[in-house]
């Protein structure tokens, strides 16, 4: 019997077998009845499940051998817009969702029920029959924001790799792709008003290999960028899969690539900004944006084009790791502090953030920033990505702000997955699959009336030591599967979670990842080609602090 109903990830809130337990057979006569509003889900089923099975899955109704897709007001009321019910009782398969998104998540569950070969791109001649367990499933997500941050600034990923990650997020019912598009090491988005951002800022002459203390260099130039049409394609592809793409444009730190392209953006009264190039190593860079009207107008130009590409209600502006040394030495910065009546350089950073908070709010968007935007006073409408631990998120929630929990000690997927010398470029704390599975996004310090401010959670994939898709796959999977269940499912307290059962379900999920071509870390450790012997990392010993 097809046992795919027992290895679903994320596991649904309610699942029962329809008596007597059996299998429903899909064949060339199986139809898809996509009711109004679900046509996109029907197209997705034909392009993925249809391609994998070889079944035509034609449009049709009035037959028992059919898959019915329906937006159901009752499901919306009872389970929310992303909730769904999947019922296979031998008289057709019904997927009812609270919205088209809910129907889509139900369709993702249906694909898992078909078995791992349903994740291939073409049918296998060895499989001629497709069956679905006769089940009744009722499911809905815990969090509205279930995200993954993909850093394409440190190492550029071609468009096809980003599209593949959109599919991987969708397969795990994650609905936010946060794209880190700019940093000291590269600017990755075409801005037509300021073409040197990609002509110059998208390319660096060489790259540090491993941690910044490593003596190794890759002497090849590295770079790349997405044209605006490339990015519109990514955004549209994600939208078909009910994923929101949130762009990040870093302000005012992590900006050397922009300053290399346009030196007037930097603190020209402190250093010779014309001597700066796109940074070729890692760490916190001292070269930050100057607090001038020129800089504000430049980034308003940038964000005007960003808003035209990304319909996301949220725009991320970074705000993290902004050293203040140049501002302390800059007469221009000190004059701005005096003019605005600011107390210090922390409040000058807050002035930057507040300016763009007002600018985005005036255009119907919401600003998101890393938790350093709390320093010097939080902008009125800002949402906080709490990365340095829980503390920033707790403070923001208590102040009435929305929070996305993504503490580095728990869900930074560049951190190593095991102790020992086999892990490639070992960075940070050991974060095993079980550690991620026991991550709890809502800290107990928050009172019940403030927990609703935690709108979601996010795993972050920083790519300083990940030079290509293969390395990103290794660091991300299988841990993103555990994170997806944390973000979707209503799990018990961390210590009460049944990791053994999750690990058993992962056996079936590894087969899905194999079918998708994901170069994940096997349970027994890295394969020979996944190791990076001799490349210096920065492992941190002991358990990570809860801060």
């Amino acid at each position: 019997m097809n046992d795919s109903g027992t290895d679903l990830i994320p596991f649904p809130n309610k699942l029962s077998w329809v008596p007597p337990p059996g299998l429903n057979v899909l064949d060339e006569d199986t139809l898809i009845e996509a009711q109004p509003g679900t046509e996109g889900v029907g197209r997705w089923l034909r392009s993925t499940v249809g391609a994998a099975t070889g079944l035509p899955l034609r449009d049709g109704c009035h037959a028992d051998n059919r898959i019915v897709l329906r937006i159901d007001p009752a499901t919306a009321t009872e389970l929310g817009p992303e909730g769904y019910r999947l019922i296979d009782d031998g008289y057709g398969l019904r997927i009812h969702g609270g919205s088209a998104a809910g129907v889509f998540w139900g369709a993702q569950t249906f694909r898992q029920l078909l078995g791992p070969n349903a994740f291939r791109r073409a049918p296998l001649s060895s499989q001629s029959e497709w069956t679905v367990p006769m089940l009744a499933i009722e499911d809905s997500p815990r969090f509205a924001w279930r995200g993954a941050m993909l850093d394409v600034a440190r190492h550029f990923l071609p468009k096809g790799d980003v599209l593949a990650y959109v599919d991987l997020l969708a397969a795990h019912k994650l609905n936010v792709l946060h794209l880190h598009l700019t940093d000291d090491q590269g600017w990755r988005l075409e801005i037509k008003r300021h073409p040197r951002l990609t002509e110059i800022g998208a390319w660096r002459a060489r790259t540090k290999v491993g941690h910044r203390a490593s003596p190794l260099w890759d002497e090849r130039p590295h770079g790349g960028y997405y044209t605006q049409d490339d990015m519109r394609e990514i955004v549209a592809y994600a939208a078909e899969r009910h994923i929101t793409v949130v762009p990040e444009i870093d302000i005012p730190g992590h900006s050397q690539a922009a300053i290399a392209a346009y030196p007037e953006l930097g603190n020209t009264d402190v250093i010779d900004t014309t001597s700066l190039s796109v940074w070729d190593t890692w760490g916190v860079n001292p070269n930050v944006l100057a607090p001038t009207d020129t800089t504000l107008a430049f980034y308003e130009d940038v964000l005007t084009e960003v808003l035209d590409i990304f319909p996301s209600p949220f725009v991320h502006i970074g705000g993290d790791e902004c050293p203040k040394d140049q501002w302390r030495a800059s007469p221009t910065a000190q004059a701005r502090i005096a003019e605005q009546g600011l107390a210090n350089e922390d409040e000058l950073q807050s002035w930057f953030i507040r300016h763009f908070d007002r600018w985005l709010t005036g255009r119907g968007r919401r600003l998101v920033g890393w938790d350093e935007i709390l320093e010097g006073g939080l902008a009125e409408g800002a949402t906080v990505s709490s990365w340095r631990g829980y503390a920033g998120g707790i403070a923001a929630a208590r102040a009435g702000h929305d929070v996305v929990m993504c503490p580095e000690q728990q869900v930074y997927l560049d951190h190593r997955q095991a102790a020992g010398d086999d892990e490639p470029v070992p960075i940070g704390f050991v974060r095993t699959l079980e550690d991620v599975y026991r991550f709890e996004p809502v800290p107990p310090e928050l009172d019940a009336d403030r927990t609703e401010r935690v709108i979601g959670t996010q795993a972050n994939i920083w790519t300083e030591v990940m030079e290509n898709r293969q390395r990103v796959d290794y660091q991300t999977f299988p841990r993103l599967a555990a994170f997806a269940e944390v973000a979707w499912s209503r799990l018990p307290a961390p210590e009460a979670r049944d990791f053994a059962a999750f690990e058993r379900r992962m056996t079936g999920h590894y087969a899905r990842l194999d079918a998708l071509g994901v170069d994940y870390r096997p349970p027994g450790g890295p394969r020979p080609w996944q190791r990076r012997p001799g490349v210096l990392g920065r492992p941190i010993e002991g358990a990570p602090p809860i801060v």
Side-chain angles (χ1 to χ4, degrees):
M1 177 177 287
N2 184 341
D3 62 356
S4 299
T6 63
D7 63 8
L8 296 173
I9 291 177
F11 202 74
N13 297 331
K14 294 182 181 179
L15 180 150
S16 59
W17 292 87
V18 175
L23 299 174
N24 189 11
V25 177
L26 275 66
D27 56 29
E28 292 195 352
D29 295 324
T30 301
L31 305 175
I32 291 180
E33 180 186 336
Q35 295 187 6
T38 69
E39 296 86 354
V41 183
R43 285 194 301 273
W44 178 84
L45 279 171
R46 289 188 192 91
S47 66
T48 53
V49 172
T53 61
L55 301 178
L57 300 177
R58 300 179 185 89
D59 284 319
C61 56
H62 307 303
D64 290 340
N65 188 6
R66 60 181 169 147
I67 302 165
V68 179
L69 309 176
R70 179 173 178 248
I71 297 173
D72 177 33
T75 301
T77 300
E78 295 167 25
L79 300 179
E82 290 190 279
Y84 69 90
R85 290 187 172 96
L86 185 153
I87 302 171
D88 184 1
D89 56 8
Y91 298 98
L93 177 77
R94 301 185 294 282
I95 303 175
H96 293 180
S99 66
V103 176
F104 181 72
W105 304 131
Q108 289 287 357
T109 298
F110 163 67
R111 188 188 190 190
Q112 289 195 20
L113 292 172
L114 285 168
N117 285 340
F119 289 78
R120 298 187 181 275
R121 295 190 182 185
L124 302 181
S125 58
S126 59
Q127 182 164 355
S128 57
E129 184 177 85
W130 295 86
T131 59
V132 185
M134 292 168 58
L135 297 169
I137 294 174
E138 185 175 288
D139 204 9
S140 62
R142 179 183 180 189
F143 292 108
W145 182 305
R146 307 180 303 281
M149 190 284 303
L150 185 60
D151 172 20
V152 295
R154 270 55 176 273
H155 278 102
F156 177 70
L157 287 178
K159 179 184 69 176
D161 289 346
V162 177
L163 293 173
Y165 259 75
V166 170
D167 281 328
L168 287 170
L169 264 59
H172 292 84
K173 297 187 175 71
L174 297 172
N175 68 345
V176 174
L177 173 60
H178 168 179
L179 279 182
H180 182 70
L181 291 166
T182 73
D183 214 295
D184 301 302
Q185 296 86 2
W187 185 286
R188 305 297 177 212
L189 179 65
E190 176 190 29
I191 301 297
K192 294 184 177 180
R193 289 182 176 105
H194 301 296
R196 294 207 304 274
L197 285 171
T198 47
E199 291 170 359
I200 295 172
W203 310 94
R204 60 179 181 259
R206 63 176 187 168
T207 301
K208 174 67 71 174
V209 176
H211 185 258
R212 61 180 175 271
S214 165
L216 303 177
W217 293 90
D218 182 342
E219 296 292 347
R220 297 173 298 176
H222 176 84
Y225 66 93
Y226 310 103
T227 68
Q228 293 195 1
D229 283 345
D230 288 338
M231 192 53 67
R232 288 189 176 94
E233 178 186 355
I234 291 169
V235 168
Y237 190 84
E240 278 277 308
R241 288 147 183 80
H242 299 276
I243 292 172
T244 299
V245 182
V246 175
E248 180 177 350
I249 305 294
D250 268 304
I251 302 169
H254 287 291
S255 297
Q256 183 162 315
I259 297 169
Y262 292 92
E264 64 271 23
L265 297 174
N267 294 284
T268 57
D269 55 352
V270 177
I271 63 164
D272 177 11
T273 57
T274 63
S275 68
L276 296 177
S277 58
V278 178
W279 212 26
D280 56 13
T281 189
W282 320 119
V284 179
N285 189 301
N287 297 303
V288 302
L289 297 175
T292 64
D293 292 341
T294 297
T295 299
L296 296 181
F298 184 96
Y299 276 87
E300 287 174 3
D301 284 348
V302 168
L303 290 171
T304 295
E305 296 191 26
V306 166
L307 297 191
D308 186 57
I309 299 166
F310 297 88
S312 164
F314 294 93
V315 175
H316 208 294
I317 51 75
D320 63 315
E321 295 181 328
C322 178
K324 311 298 192 297
D325 295 342
Q326 289 185 359
W327 289 349
R328 292 187 187 99
S330 164
T332 301
Q334 293 303 312
R336 180 68 80 179
I337 288 173
E339 169 203 318
Q340 295 293 320
L342 306 175
N344 51 35
E345 289 76 21
D346 284 342
E347 289 195 5
L348 182 59
Q349 176 166 333
S350 179
W351 169 84
F352 253 113
I353 303 304
R354 289 175 187 273
H355 175 88
F356 288 102
D357 180 59
R358 291 191 299 270
W359 190 91
L360 287 167
T361 299
R363 288 153 182 82
R365 306 299 182 95
R366 296 181 62 186
L367 180 145
V368 192
W370 302 110
D371 55 56
E372 284 96 331
I373 68 174
L374 288 158
E375 298 165 5
L378 190 56
E380 183 176 345
T383 295
V384 170
S385 298
S386 190
W387 76 274
R388 291 181 294 181
Y390 290 102
I394 292 169
R398 286 174 175 166
H401 291 263
D402 288 342
V403 175
V404 177
M405 282 293 186
C406 49
E408 63 168 330
Q409 302 87 352
Q410 312 298 325
V411 286
Y412 267 34
L413 299 186
D414 54 329
H415 283 214
R416 57 196 174 129
Q417 301 185 64
D421 297 331
D422 283 345
E423 289 302 303
V425 201
I427 297 294
F429 297 102
V430 171
R431 293 287 84 195
T432 65
L433 183 67
E434 181 172 0
D435 290 330
V436 175
Y437 190 66
R438 297 193 190 280
F439 165 59
E440 173 49 51
V442 178
E445 293 90 337
L446 276 183
D447 296 334
D449 61 341
R450 292 301 184 190
T451 59
E452 65 187 29
R453 285 295 184 180
V454 181
I455 61 172
T457 184
Q458 183 170 289
N460 292 340
I461 306 160
W462 298 103
T463 62
E464 287 96 331
V465 297
M466 301 179 220
E467 69 275 13
N468 55 33
R469 164 81 188 278
Q470 183 185 49
R471 284 285 293 118
V472 172
D473 278 0
Y474 178 89
Q475 292 296 136
T476 304
F477 289 98
R479 292 183 295 181
L480 195 69
F483 173 80
E485 185 149 307
V486 168
W488 178 278
S489 304
R490 290 165 176 80
L491 297 175
E495 64 278 4
R497 293 175 189 173
D498 191 346
F499 177 71
F502 174 79
E503 206 168 25
R504 286 192 294 272
R505 285 186 283 121
M506 278 301 300
T507 301
H509 201 65
Y510 286 122
R512 297 181 192 117
L513 297 177
D514 286 331
L516 287 165
V518 177
D519 200 24
Y520 60 85
R521 182 189 190 277
R527 301 176 177 97
W529 62 86
Q530 293 173 323
R531 301 185 177 106
R532 294 290 186 275
V535 179
L536 182 68
R538 184 177 174 267
I540 303 174
E541 301 303 329
I546 305 299
V547 294

